[in-house]
Amino acid sequence: MSITIDTKHGVIREEEFLGLWSQIQDSEKALKGKTGAGADYLGWLDYPVSYDKGEFQRIEKAASFIRSKCEAFIIIGIGGSYLGSKAMIDALSPFFANERDEVQPKIYFAGQNISGKYHDDLIRLVKDKDVMINVISKSGTTTEPAIAFRLFKNLLEEKYGAEGARDRIYVTTDAKKGALKELAMAQGYETFVIPDDVGGRYSVHTAVGLLPIAVAGFDIKDFMKGAKDQMEETDGAMDMTDPCYRYAAARNILYRKGKTMEIMVNYQPEMAMFSEWWKQLFGESEGKDGKGLFPVSVNNSTDLHSLGQIVQEGRRNMFETILVFDEVDRDTIIPTASEDLDGLDYIAGSGMNHVNNKAFLGTLMAHVDGNVPNLVLTIPELSAYMLGRLVYFFERACGISGYLMGVNPFDQPGVESYKRNMFALLGKPGYEDLARELEGKK
């Protein structure tokens, strides 16, 4: 039940991997010894074994209560406060989950954008349903989720009264400080902790991800066990055959050869949001000091009909990392037809998964022939356990890879630039000088 990697299509010689072994070891020592840049944010590293077991039980209890009481559960957050849980829920849920009567509660997300139309439509959709919310924010002052929380807090208080709303609001925030923590204490909301030493993009295995995933009906014990097993497997690695080390090394070797863009490729549409989580993880971690691979994603075969051309024959500055699953739990058989007008009789009786697999293999061969190196990660099955492993796999690889690139993979100073400008343009007190400066740039 391990993740494996095939680098034979990556156009990398074995001696290149071996040449990075000492740097991989140094990166691992810096991570485990907490001596590298950003060492204050390495709580995720051993979280699969060091997590608060008492809080975990409270999460399970709260999730069970929520599932028994509400029709619509709204998760409010942005960035790492929502991407991980949405990725896991989308990957594990049946397609069209919110259109299925048997799926309860319906899961919705808010505060991940500033669209007035989106939030108006969501309010209209849920206002007559039994609603509960989980607001996720370290500070409580991040603009997008703060606006959404105001909206839905007002909705709950108008619908249930202040007392009734209190039991329908769950807060995931800092353990001791911040505006949201103060409000939660004053109002008596049930709270869960975002650990001080875990950054948002590394927080899927904390309450940030666990409560939403559990409310959606998935086994968070399996999810945590997957992370633990992956952690222990990587901890026990002795050489460059380890898939996590090999992936981190391969992407750095290709980066040093001028491949500045990494494309995450899925052939299972339920994994589209997982790619979004992966993009934040690597984009925020490595994109600084003028360095970093630009992370993008495609969902094939859909995107072969839109982006396939540029991958095949565009600039040769990219490589692909493909996620492949050994087992897919269901299939659809292609029927026969009385007349073969569409020319499909040659695959009649085959499953669509078989065709999808051949599309993957054919595309891989074409892209490698077109000088686009491919790395193939194979996952035994799509389950909570394997997603727990996969999340930790990428987190660990990201930490190693960032150190190999010579950056701090645990901060994100550039994220603040747009916020300062936005605050000034909105007229937030304290930003008057910047507002005048920006006015002159219009």
Side-chain angles (χ1 to χ4, degrees):
M1 294 293 286
S2 293
I3 299 164
T4 59
I5 186 169
D6 182 351
T7 58
K8 67 184 177 185
H9 304 290
V11 199
I12 303 171
R13 300 186 309 277
E14 194 60 33
E15 52 264 36
E16 293 179 277
F17 283 109
L18 296 176
L20 269 185
W21 176 234
S22 64
Q23 294 179 51
I24 293 282
Q25 288 179 301
D26 289 343
S27 296
E28 273 285 71
K29 287 177 184 176
L31 282 175
K32 292 180 182 178
K34 299 187 176 182
T35 58
D40 290 342
Y41 291 93
L42 285 172
W44 59 271
L45 192 63
D46 63 356
Y47 199 81
V49 294
S50 66
Y51 66 94
D52 185 329
K53 310 305 187 292
E55 182 181 63
F56 189 89
Q57 291 178 343
R58 284 202 303 115
I59 290 170
E60 290 186 307
K61 183 178 179 181
S64 178
F65 177 78
I66 293 165
R67 285 178 56 78
S68 70
K69 294 293 184 182
C70 83
E71 297 172 292
F73 185 61
I74 300 171
I75 300 154
I76 299 172
I78 196 168
S81 294
Y82 100 99
L83 278 169
S85 59
K86 181 159 177 56
M88 302 309 120
I89 291 168
D90 280 11
L92 295 170
S93 297
F95 288 110
F96 321 113
N98 279 356
E99 283 75 51
R100 292 171 178 253
D101 290 340
E102 73 273 16
V103 175
Q104 293 291 339
K106 311 303 183 190
I107 306 292
Y108 302 100
F109 290 83
Q112 80 278 31
N113 60 58
I114 325 178
S115 166
K117 180 179 179 181
Y118 177 95
H119 287 83
D120 181 62
D121 281 350
L122 182 54
I123 289 169
R124 289 171 184 268
L125 179 66
V126 304
K127 64 185 178 64
D128 295 324
K129 300 181 185 297
D130 203 340
V131 182
M132 293 185 178
I133 65 176
N134 175 207
V135 56
I136 306 167
S137 175
K138 186 78 169 172
S139 65
T141 58
T142 304
T143 305
E144 296 90 341
I147 292 172
F149 183 45
R150 273 202 182 193
L151 292 171
F152 287 96
K153 179 174 176 288
N154 285 350
L155 173 68
L156 291 181
E157 290 178 347
E158 290 173 4
K159 188 177 176 69
Y160 303 105
E163 287 294 321
R166 181 176 295 117
D167 295 332
R168 295 173 178 275
I169 296 173
Y170 294 83
V171 172
T172 307
T173 190
D174 190 271
K176 299 177 181 177
K177 62 184 185 298
L180 189 54
K181 177 63 177 178
E182 289 179 16
L183 178 65
M185 292 178 65
Q187 295 296 322
Y189 302 144
E190 182 163 6
T191 62
F192 301 99
V193 174
I194 303 175
D196 286 338
D197 56 357
V198 179
R201 59 189 178 274
Y202 292 86
S203 67
V204 192
H205 286 108
T206 73
V208 170
L210 293 179
L211 181 60
I213 294 168
V215 171
F218 304 112
D219 192 334
I220 57 174
K221 285 191 176 75
D222 278 355
F223 185 62
M224 292 300 287
K225 186 177 188 309
K228 177 177 179 290
D229 288 353
Q230 185 63 47
M231 181 193 75
E232 291 175 346
E233 182 177 302
T234 307
D235 282 347
M238 302 298 293
D239 55 38
M240 282 301 303
T241 62
D242 176 72
C244 186
Y245 291 169
R246 201 166 180 85
Y247 171 64
R251 60 195 310 278
N252 274 267
I253 291 167
L254 293 169
Y255 176 63
R256 295 172 191 186
K257 291 181 176 183
K259 302 296 185 181
T260 57
M261 181 182 295
E262 180 177 10
I263 306 173
M264 171 64 72
V265 183
N266 289 306
Y267 282 84
Q268 300 298 333
E270 62 266 47
M271 291 294 287
M273 277 304 303
F274 186 90
S275 293
E276 297 302 310
W277 170 81
W278 171 87
K279 286 192 285 190
Q280 188 207 6
L281 177 68
F282 281 92
E284 273 195 358
S285 296
E286 293 183 338
K288 54 202 71 166
D289 301 334
K291 302 175 183 177
L293 281 156
F294 193 88
V296 296
S297 63
V298 295
N299 300 292
N300 290 342
S301 64
T302 303
D303 288 337
L304 291 173
H305 296 262
S306 58
L307 297 173
Q309 174 63 40
I310 194 169
V311 176
Q312 189 69 48
E313 296 183 341
R315 292 187 65 191
R316 302 297 80 188
N317 64 335
M318 64 188 77
F319 69 93
E320 294 177 298
T321 296
I322 309 172
L323 295 184
V324 178
F325 291 90
D326 272 339
E327 294 183 12
V328 180
D329 62 351
R330 281 176 289 136
D331 203 355
T332 300
I333 304 302
I334 300 167
T336 57
S338 56
E339 296 181 358
D340 188 26
L341 297 177
D342 54 14
L344 291 179
D345 269 3
Y346 76 104
I347 52 174
S350 298
M352 290 182 71
N353 291 339
H354 170 74
V355 179
N356 202 27
N357 181 255
K358 299 309 177 188
F360 145 62
L361 291 172
T363 304
L364 180 149
M365 295 172 188
H367 288 180
V368 173
D369 287 345
N371 193 26
V372 178
N374 272 233
L375 311 174
V376 182
L377 291 172
T378 300
I379 301 98
E381 64 183 19
L382 182 47
S383 63
Y385 172 81
M386 285 310 308
L387 286 174
R389 288 193 74 129
L390 192 61
V391 166
Y392 190 88
F393 175 97
F394 280 122
E395 289 175 343
R396 186 74 166 260
C398 187
I400 296 167
S401 183
Y403 282 165
L404 288 176
M405 286 189 183
V407 300
N408 177 357
F410 308 113
D411 67 355
Q412 55 283 337
V415 174
E416 301 305 314
S417 298
Y418 93 90
K419 294 181 183 179
R420 290 193 298 271
N421 289 349
M422 179 178 69
F423 293 155
L425 293 168
L426 286 170
K428 185 174 182 177
Y431 289 81
E432 292 83 4
D433 290 346
L434 180 56
R436 286 190 287 270
E437 179 185 334
L438 294 177
E439 188 65 29
K441 293 182 178 180
K442 287 184 179 179

